[in-house]
Amino acid sequence: MDYQETDFLETATPDAINQIALARRLTQEYNHSDYRDFEKRRAILRDLFAHIGERVAIDTPFYCDYGKNIWIGDDVIININCTFVDNKPIHIGSRVLIASNVQIYTSSHPVLPLERLTANWREKNATFFRTYAKPVTIQDQVWIGGGSILLPGVTIGENSVIGAGSVVTRSIPKNCVAVGNPCRVIRTF
């Protein structure tokens, strides 16, 4: 893959560090909040996310990088120990189920060392590695099975089911069941 200098994110700018620090503080506060204190937990999530719909339940622990790049629709359940690396937007539709230990990554790094590592990084006041990111979209009425991993740039089509432990490397169409590593459609409906 050919990368332009503009394709890469700088993850160590003062703005990025401040946003990550805020997200870490808010997720820590959320993860240590009383499960029964619905009002406090909802207020934390409103501060953390770009948008959070009605009747959203996010179990703890929950982790994310920025928070501000996450949009969540109505009637969503995110189970325990999920991690969302949101260098770019993560859009989650309505009536979505996300099981335990699901990881959603919008960012990655080039495979080749010459593309992955930053030449003269100290002089450029940059990180020694390059990061790129692509949004992830989960459409309405999707179920993501436990332990699944969604990689940068994928879309999960409405009504689809991703089987437990799947690694989603490419977009999945609507109205299907997809499983495996790499994740593939095994049934449509």
Side-chain angles (χ1 to χ4, degrees), residues 4 8 12 21 85 107 147 163 167:
Q4 303 292 323
F8 296 107
V85 179
S107 62
V167 178

Side-chain angles (χ1 to χ4, degrees), residues 109-110 112-121 127-130:
H109 312 283
L112 297 176
L114 287 174
E115 294 174 346
R116 182 175 59 249
L117 303 174
T118 306
N120 304 317
W121 62 278
T127 54
F128 71 91
F129 57 90
R130 290 182 171 144

Side-chain angles (χ1 to χ4, degrees), residues 4-184:
Q4 303 292 323
E5 202 61 36
T6 57
D7 291 337
F8 296 107
L9 305 170
E10 183 51 59
T11 58
T13 65
D15 286 345
I17 290 169
N18 287 338
Q19 186 60 45
I20 292 168
L22 175 61
R24 296 292 189 273
R25 182 180 61 77
L26 290 171
T27 54
Q28 182 178 30
E29 187 178 340
Y30 185 77
N31 289 337
H32 290 96
S33 65
D34 185 331
Y35 186 77
R36 297 162 295 192
D37 193 345
F38 302 113
E39 288 181 29
K40 178 181 180 180
R41 289 168 65 88
R42 175 90 178 158
I44 295 167
L45 294 177
R46 275 195 309 269
D47 289 343
L48 179 63
F49 297 140
H51 174 80
I52 183 165
E54 298 298 319
R55 297 168 305 280
V56 173
I58 300 176
D59 213 335
T60 54
F62 172 80
Y63 305 98
C64 65
D65 260 355
Y66 294 87
K68 69 174 186 160
N69 293 324
I70 299 172
W71 281 260
I72 300 176
D74 299 329
D75 304 308
V76 173
I77 294 176
I78 299 171
N79 216 315
I80 60 172
N81 205 39
C82 289
T83 301
F84 294 2
V85 179
D86 62 315
N87 292 87
K88 288 286 184 174
I90 296 173
H91 289 276
I92 299 170
S94 294
R95 296 169 309 284
V96 170
L97 303 172
I98 298 178
S100 301
N101 300 307
V102 168
Q103 301 167 56
I104 301 175
Y105 298 110
T106 65
S107 62
S108 190
H109 312 283
V111 173
L112 297 176
L114 287 174
E115 294 174 346
R116 182 175 59 249
L117 303 174
T118 306
N120 304 317
W121 62 278
R122 287 190 179 107
E123 292 82 25
K124 293 179 181 178
N125 196 26
T127 54
F128 71 91
F129 57 90
R130 290 182 171 144
T131 301
Y132 68 89
K134 296 178 181 179
V136 171
T137 301
I138 299 171
Q139 295 179 344
D140 293 343
Q141 301 172 171
V142 166
W143 172 21
I144 308 292
S148 293
I149 300 171
L150 281 61
L151 295 181
V154 302
T155 295
I156 310 300
E158 73 177 318
N159 303 319
S160 288
V161 175
I162 304 300
S166 294
V167 178
V168 183
T169 60
R170 291 192 166 94
S171 292
I172 301 297
K174 66 181 183 176
N175 301 321
C176 71
V177 176
V179 300
N181 180 6
C183 190
R184 291 190 169 91

